[in-house]
């Protein structure tokens, strides 16, 4: 019988799903992904997570509950670091324990540590550790990973293929919507912000469309230590946009209870306000955010970006 492995559609799923799905499928497993976020998933997540957790972590709990009874394994790695010499938000390394302590009757959890601060050999060990749940053949596991990684890399390359130059050919206003990928790519949590902006005739860009190397290089120009991967990516994106002047407005989407964003969103906002006249808006979502309020803020922001053409720069970039 085919082994079933479940992946919750939350947190880093939005960044790495193609890699993980392809890897498990190459090893002969059937991958079950939780449903798209809905009212029930978020409600169950909130009920089964400690109050102090951020919404994305609560949502992760809801997605686990959505698939836990349908699978033999749940993939919840203990993530310490996803880039060399950088750390990720500490919530990620505590996630397997949080889940085990909050949810009963779980299948076996694949909670292998992912830690890029360690040596390169450790990556191979990590892959082997995960693959061992499905095969004892080292070569098969490594080959499955290589194939999955190639697919993943190609998909990332396509996303980055010149979106800015393509967009420059258009007359539409260009809006960067930035934040953690799980806030940007889960339409339920961000209340369809991307589609709303598009429906107002603007072109939407995200940090994932910028070449990684640019983000690295611009982040190095920041006058301070960027300890977290998310911080490096978002500050690098902001400095890139400020320098290139190729965007008409920036919306930063954050969620209530995010310790990282309480620092990073503030740094990004200060950089943009001090070094550019690009209109900027911070949207902080929580489980009680009303859609009407978000719609009004987005509409007012896009209108302001458009009016700046008519009134030149007489309209404040910051609302
Ligand atoms: S970075 Fe923020 S939103 Fe993401 S898991 Fe950590 S605290 Fe939650």
């Amino acid at each position: 019988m085919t082994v079933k492995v479940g992946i919750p559609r939350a947190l880093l799923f939005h960044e790495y799903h193609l890699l993980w799905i392809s890897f498990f499928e190459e090893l002969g497993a059937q991958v079950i992904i939780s449903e798209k976020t809905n009212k029930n998933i978020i409600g169950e997540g909130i009920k089964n997570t400690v109050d102090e957790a951020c919404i994305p972590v609560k949502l992760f709990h809801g997605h686990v509950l959505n698939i836990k009874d349908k699978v033999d394994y749940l993939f919840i790695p203990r993530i310490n670091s996803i880039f060399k010499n950088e750390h990720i938000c500490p919530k990620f390394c505590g996630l397997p324990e949080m889940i085990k302590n909050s949810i009963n009757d779980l299948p076996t959890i694949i909670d292998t540590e992912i830690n890029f601060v360690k040596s390169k050999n450790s990556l191979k060990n990590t892959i082997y550790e995960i693959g061992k749940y499905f095969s004892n053949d080292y070569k098969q596991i490594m080959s499955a990973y290589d194939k999955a990684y190639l697919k993943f890399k190609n998909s990332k390359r396509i996303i980055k293929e010149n979106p800015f130059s393509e967009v420059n050919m258009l007359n539409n206003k260009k809006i960067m919507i930035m934040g953690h990928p799980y806030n940007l790519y889960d339409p339920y949590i961000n209340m369809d912000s991307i589609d709303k902006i598009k429906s107002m005739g603007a072109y939407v860009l995200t940090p994932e469309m910028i070449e990684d190397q640019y983000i690295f290089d611009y982040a190095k120009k920041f006058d301070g230590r960027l300890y977290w991967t998310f911080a490096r990516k978002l500050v690098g994106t902001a400095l890139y946009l400020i320098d290139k002047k190729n965007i008409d407005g920036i919306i930063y989407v954050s969620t209530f209870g995010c310790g990282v964003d309480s620092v990073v969103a503030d740094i990004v906002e200060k950089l943009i306000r001090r070094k550019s006249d690009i209109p900027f808006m911070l949207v902080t979502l929580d489980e009680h955010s009303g859609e009407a309020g978000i719609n009004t803020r987005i509409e007012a922001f896009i209108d302001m970006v458009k009016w700046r053409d008519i009134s030149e720069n007489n309209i404040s970039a910051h609302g």
Side-chain angles (χ1 to χ4, degrees), residues 11 54 56-57 89-92 180 182-183 230 255 257-261:
L11 293 176
C54 58
V57 165
C89 163
K91 299 261 170 66
F92 285 87
H180 305 306
Y182 36 90
N183 293 336
F230 291 142
T255 41
C258 174
V260 172
D261 271 351

Side-chain angles (χ1 to χ4, degrees), residues 140-268:
Q140 189 201 2
I141 294 172
M142 290 305 151
S143 148
Y145 180 77
D146 288 344
K147 284 182 194 159
Y149 187 72
L150 199 66
K151 269 193 204 166
F152 168 72
K153 267 300 197 202
N154 278 340
S155 72
K156 294 279 167 197
R157 185 179 49 74
I158 291 165
I159 292 171
K160 291 174 199 298
E161 255 167 20
N162 292 325
F164 280 89
S165 47
E166 190 186 302
V167 168
N168 283 337
M169 315 281 283
L170 305 168
N171 282 329
N172 305 42
K173 290 293 170 199
K174 299 178 285 289
I175 304 296
M176 166 65 63
I177 176 158
M178 62 194 295
H180 305 306
Y182 36 90
N183 293 336
L184 302 188
Y185 301 117
D186 185 329
Y188 191 91
I189 205 77
N190 66 40
M191 298 180 195
D192 263 334
S193 297
I194 291 186
D195 280 351
K196 267 175 201 140
I197 299 167
K198 284 182 183 166
S199 73
M200 295 187 72
Y203 197 99
V204 176
L205 293 138
T206 65
E208 283 65 40
M209 295 174 178
I210 303 174
E211 277 298 336
D212 293 342
Q213 196 54 50
Y214 289 151
I215 292 184
F216 270 108
D217 292 345
Y218 277 92
K220 279 189 202 142
K221 297 176 195 236
F222 178 66
D223 204 12
R225 172 123 164 73
L226 295 170
Y227 186 72
W228 299 302
T229 297
F230 291 142
R232 193 243 316 138
K233 186 167 176 180
L234 295 168
V235 170
T237 297
L239 289 171
Y240 169 84
L241 297 173
I242 290 166
D243 185 43
K244 296 287 179 193
K245 301 183 178 62
N246 54 1
I247 205 84
D248 299 300
I250 300 174
I251 299 178
Y252 191 122
V253 177
S254 176
T255 41
F256 186 73
C258 174
V260 172
D261 271 351
S262 64
V263 178
V264 178
D266 189 54
I267 294 175
V268 166

